Amino acid sequence: MRFVLAIVSFVVAALLIGFGVAQRTVLAGPETFTATAELGAEAPLAVIDGEALNAHSGRQALSVSGEGIVFAAYGRTSDVKAWVGDAAHYEITANPETGEFVSKLVEGTEATVPNPFGSDLWLADFQAEGAVNFAVNVPEDVSIIVASDGTAPVPGDVSVTWPVDNSQPWSGPLIVAGALMALLGLAFLTWAILHLRRSRGPRRTQPKQPRMPKPPRQRSVKPKSNGGAPTNARGRRASRPMIAVVPVIASALLLGGCSAGSSPESGGGAPVSEPSAASTAPAGEDLPPTAVTEAQAKRIVSSVGTTVTDADANLSADVAATRLAGPALELRAANYKARSVDGALPAVSPVVGDNPLQLTLPQQTDIWPRTVIAVTQAADADPADDVVPSPVGMVLIQDDARSQYKAHYAVTLTQTVPEVAPASIGTARLPVDNKLLSIAPSEVGPAYADVLLNGDQSASYGLFDTENDPLLGQVGKAYKDAKRAEVPTTAALTFTNAAGTGETVVMATNDLGALVAVNMTEIEEIKPTQAGAAVDSAGAVRALSGKPQSTKGFTATYAYQLLFHVPPVSQQGEQPIALLGYSEGLISASEVP
């Protein structure tokens, strides 16, 4: 019986271990699942919906291949759809039952689109010759766009691969249980061998003894009955079969303790689900999305800095126009024109280089145009220069989904920007007639222009922080009076101001105030006051007007890009409007008609 128990234990152990190992090898399922889509040549684009990308759990590995250039990018679904617009494209979704991809051609009015590579709209983009492969882990509100160069048909082969959880949680317990059964079988075998040896010990032959004389026969007496009491004829041997019962019961208890419900798992167990995007959404989820993420802003600002640096080096307004617009482009274009005539003229400031991003304030919006205020850290100072460069503030605007962000304002900051919302939350762009500020944003430019022209005689003088305003000392009333005094008596110098061509941008701050970017111009006109008299031009005025002297006089227009902090109406009269940064320069000069 002991050998039987050992054999049964070994057989059960072999079955348990074999099945546990088989679950991890021959019985294990595939490690990945791949969904593919074969696209035709009827459209230049394809869009993989965010729900299709999340048809299976886990990280998505995208593979796109085709002839020529292959492009793929991912971005918010609303942004991707806005960029696609009315263009013909393939829409790739997932079959809810099988998880396989289903492609559908969506007709459109555009057979070709601009090259999507490098668009500021994408969270990330990839381009290569022949094939593109990358892995992402995007939520359902993010989609992938696939293209070639916008003109050629979309690459034909698209696939997404997800990892599959093929772990076998019972494999470990089965192998452990098999090992325990093997040990139990070994115990039974050892017990059986020891018992066999004890039962087959050596036996000695007794020597013959002389016969004893027979005792006299006695009369036999029949014993009386003892009432049926059991006799112990077999002695102690009668209890030996009970000894085998003890290990049998112990083995049963041991096997019961290895049941599936109580054994610990080894390297397995039910997979722990990660929190979903919905469960980790920040408070205030009803807020509109931000115009850009912080990563997008870094990439955009870096591209703007690189482009403007190239334009400054080559005096190319066309290159600058790819990343500048409005007052910022107007000022640099005029500076490039003047310097191409007179190379000794100074470059325009500030220097918009590829400097690290210090602050990002995106607009909360999912429509266009979109606005972002960015502040870059100061460039490294020249050891031979005692002047420490200041941070640069930019107001970036994207007109539509297919446009790039362009800097409409680029100013040198002279004061610290007040506390604003983090980049992940963003802020609202306010209307120019907002009544919740100490002064309507549309009135800030004209009020400040009057202060520059009339100084403390201006009715708006008390609205501004004049003590910490370096521009007021450079081009304010005192400067103008000194410049008039230098003009000969045969000429007259006048100053007037007007609104600039740039749009006023208003972005809310945490103190219920706002950052206000305005553009204004100042016209400086000098005319002879006597017949036959003439006035001379110099510097940038001569370069732009093309005339060194005129009997009619000259008109020079200077533009100002200004960034203010306007406090809330509750602080009116207590907290002044602060000039945070500015940029100024000549934008045009001509002979008086």
Side-chain angles (χ1 to χ4, degrees):
M1 184 62 181
R2 299 171 182 82
F3 286 104
V4 173
L5 290 176
I7 293 172
V8 171
S9 298
F10 285 132
V11 171
V12 173
L15 291 176
L16 292 174
I17 294 174
F19 188 61
V21 172
Q23 281 191 321
R24 296 189 178 184
T25 54
V26 295
L27 297 181
E31 296 182 353
T32 60
F33 177 84
T34 301
T36 61
E38 295 184 359
L39 308 177
E42 289 80 11
L45 301 171
V47 176
I48 308 175
D49 185 73
E51 293 185 0
L53 292 171
N54 287 273
H56 305 274
S57 60
R59 194 171 179 83
Q60 306 103 356
L62 182 76
S63 177
V64 183
S65 60
E67 297 182 358
I69 296 175
V70 175
F71 164 84
Y74 61 91
R76 287 187 299 220
T77 299
S78 57
D79 290 350
V80 171
K81 290 182 177 179
W83 196 96
V84 172
D86 295 328
H89 64 281
Y90 289 96
E91 190 177 80
I92 301 176
T93 57
N95 186 311
E97 297 180 358
T98 64
E100 295 287 347
F101 278 166
V102 177
S103 61
K104 174 186 175 183
L105 177 62
V106 179
E107 300 289 346
T109 57
E110 293 179 279
T112 61
V113 294
N115 191 336
F117 181 67
S119 172
D120 290 340
L121 212 57
W122 315 135
L123 298 175
D125 58 356
F126 310 87
Q127 180 172 281
E129 187 75 21
V132 162
N133 300 279
F134 62 92
V136 293
N137 191 7
V138 298
E140 290 189 357
D141 60 350
V142 172
S143 296
I144 289 179
I145 182 172
V146 176
S148 179
D149 59 0
T151 302
V154 65
D157 297 321
V158 178
S159 67
V160 176
T161 300
W162 297 265
V164 174
D165 183 12
N166 63 351
S167 61
Q168 301 293 335
W170 284 103
S171 176
L174 287 173
I175 294 175
V176 171
L180 292 176
M181 287 300 298
L183 291 175
L184 185 61
L186 185 61
F188 280 138
L189 180 61
T190 303
W191 183 28
I193 293 174
L194 292 176
H195 180 270
L196 181 62
R197 289 183 177 179
R198 284 197 299 267
S199 63
R200 294 183 179 181
R203 297 181 180 179
R204 296 180 179 179
T205 304
Q206 296 293 334
K208 291 183 178 182
Q209 300 291 337
R211 290 186 177 184
M212 296 295 293
K214 291 183 179 181
R217 294 187 66 182
Q218 294 182 1
R219 184 178 178 180
S220 62
V221 179
K222 186 175 181 181
K224 295 182 180 181
S225 174
N226 60 0
T231 60
N232 193 15
R234 299 177 63 183
R236 299 179 63 178
R237 289 180 179 269
S239 62
R240 289 183 181 176
M242 295 298 294
I243 299 176
V245 177
V246 177
V248 173
I249 295 175
S251 63
L253 291 174
L254 182 59
L255 291 175
C258 294
S259 63
S262 61
S263 62
E265 295 183 359
S266 175
V272 179
S273 60
E274 296 181 358
S276 63
S279 66
T280 58
E285 58 185 354
D286 293 333
L287 293 174
T290 57
V292 297
T293 64
E294 193 167 8
Q296 279 179 288
K298 288 180 181 179
R299 190 175 70 247
I300 292 167
V301 169
S302 176
S303 177
V304 170
T306 301
T307 301
V308 174
T309 299
D310 182 35
D312 288 349
N314 296 284
L315 303 181
S316 174
D318 292 337
V319 173
T322 61
R323 281 299 188 177
L324 297 180
L329 177 61
E330 185 179 47
L331 178 59
R332 265 182 158 74
N335 181 260
Y336 295 160
K337 183 178 179 181
R339 289 169 60 197
S340 64
V341 175
D342 184 357
L345 294 174
V348 69
S349 62
V351 176
V352 182
D354 186 10
N355 299 322
L357 191 60
Q358 189 177 48
L359 179 146
T360 303
L361 183 62
Q363 180 186 2
Q364 294 173 345
T365 184
D366 55 2
I367 60 175
W368 281 269
R370 297 178 175 182
T371 306
V372 177
I373 290 181
V375 175
T376 61
Q377 295 178 3
D380 294 335
D382 187 345
D385 193 353
D386 294 334
V387 179
V388 178
S390 300
V392 176
M394 291 183 284
V395 178
L396 303 152
I397 299 177
Q398 185 183 39
D399 292 328
D400 55 65
R402 292 184 182 176
S403 298
Q404 299 289 71
Y405 275 92
K406 296 183 178 181
H408 285 236
Y409 290 86
V411 301
T412 300
L413 293 181
T414 58
Q415 294 195 54
T416 303
V417 175
E419 185 177 351
V420 296
S424 59
I425 297 177
T427 191
R429 179 169 173 176
L430 305 178
V432 296
D433 59 349
N434 188 282
K435 305 299 183 183
L436 300 178
L437 302 176
S438 62
I439 181 175
S442 59
E443 299 175 6
V444 173
Y448 187 74
D450 188 62
V451 172
L452 289 180
L453 190 62
N454 299 307
D456 56 5
Q457 302 300 314
S458 171
S460 303
Y461 188 81
L463 296 175
F464 295 89
D465 178 12
T466 56
E467 294 183 2
N468 300 300
D469 188 339
L471 183 61
L472 190 61
Q474 293 176 15
V475 295
K477 184 177 184 301
Y479 161 80
K480 292 176 174 61
D481 291 341
K483 195 167 184 180
R484 287 192 190 100
E486 296 176 356
V487 175
T489 57
T490 57
L493 177 63
T494 59
F495 297 91
T496 56
N497 52 54
T501 58
E503 61 179 304
T504 299
V505 177
V506 187
M507 302 283 276
T509 56
N510 287 357
D511 62 354
L512 303 181
L515 299 177
V516 179
V518 299
N519 174 221
M520 53 163 284
T521 60
E522 189 172 74
I523 299 93
E524 182 180 312
E525 187 175 78
I526 183 169
K527 291 181 179 181
T529 57
Q530 295 180 3
V535 293
D536 297 331
S537 63
V541 173
R542 174 177 293 187
L544 291 180
S545 66
K547 289 182 175 293
Q549 190 179 74
S550 173
T551 57
K552 298 179 180 180
F554 293 96
T555 298
T557 302
Y558 295 85
Y560 295 88
Q561 301 170 50
L562 308 170
L563 181 64
F564 293 96
H565 171 243
V566 181
V569 68
S570 60
Q571 297 294 319
Q572 188 175 21
E574 299 179 9
Q575 182 178 354
I577 301 171
L579 178 66
L580 302 179
Y582 66 91
S583 179
E584 58 88 21
L586 183 69
I587 59 172
S588 67
S590 62
E591 186 180 27
V592 174

